[in-house]
Amino acid sequence: MKIHPTELLYEQTPSVMRLLESVGFMWFITIVTIAIFSWVLLKLWHLHSLPKYLAKEKGMRQAKLVFWLCMLGLAWKPLWVLAVIAIVTDWDRVQEWIRGTR
């Protein structure tokens, strides 16, 4: 009993193959891919620059320090973490704690 023939011959390609092989479709895919990567990089840059904006908005004295920690944090991420910590720290209380006054 033979259910299927032993040779499978495809004489037609699927209808989507003409679209996938077209130059216009490949340009469309390339442009969409570049746009998505650019959007993701832009959002990562905004997230990376968030400590700088917050320091400037709060008028903190260490805004320049936060700026440079963020810029150097592009190369070495722990510096970016230090910039975030510098923003959320209450420096007046730290000075009081160091001096031992209340």
Side-chain angles (χ1 to χ4, degrees):
M1 182 166 98
K2 197 174 203 180
I3 296 175
H4 297 288
T6 56
E7 287 185 19
L8 295 175
L9 297 174
Y10 294 105
E11 296 172 5
Q12 293 181 349
T13 59
S15 61
V16 75
M17 288 302 289
R18 282 182 274 142
L19 175 67
L20 294 176
E21 290 177 353
S22 69
V23 175
F25 182 71
M26 286 299 122
W27 273 111
F28 173 75
I29 293 297
T30 303
I31 290 170
V32 167
T33 303
I34 290 172
I36 289 172
F37 279 131
S38 299
W39 181 79
V40 167
L41 286 175
L42 180 69
K43 292 302 174 185
L44 287 174
W45 177 257
H46 283 295
L47 178 67
H48 179 78
S49 300
L50 193 60
K52 292 187 295 189
Y53 297 135
L54 289 175
K56 188 183 281 187
E57 182 180 300
K58 289 182 179 181
M60 302 174 95
R61 288 180 281 167
Q62 66 270 21
K64 284 188 178 182
L65 171 68
V66 170
F67 169 77
W68 284 109
L69 285 174
C70 285
M71 287 296 109
L72 294 172
L74 286 170
W76 196 50
K77 290 299 178 200
L79 293 176
W80 186 83
V81 174
L82 286 176
V84 172
I85 291 172
I87 286 179
V88 298
T89 304
D90 185 7
W91 291 104
D92 293 330
R93 288 215 172 155
V94 170
Q95 282 181 340
E96 289 176 6
W97 180 74
I98 291 173
R99 291 181 184 162
T101 60
R102 286 195 171 208

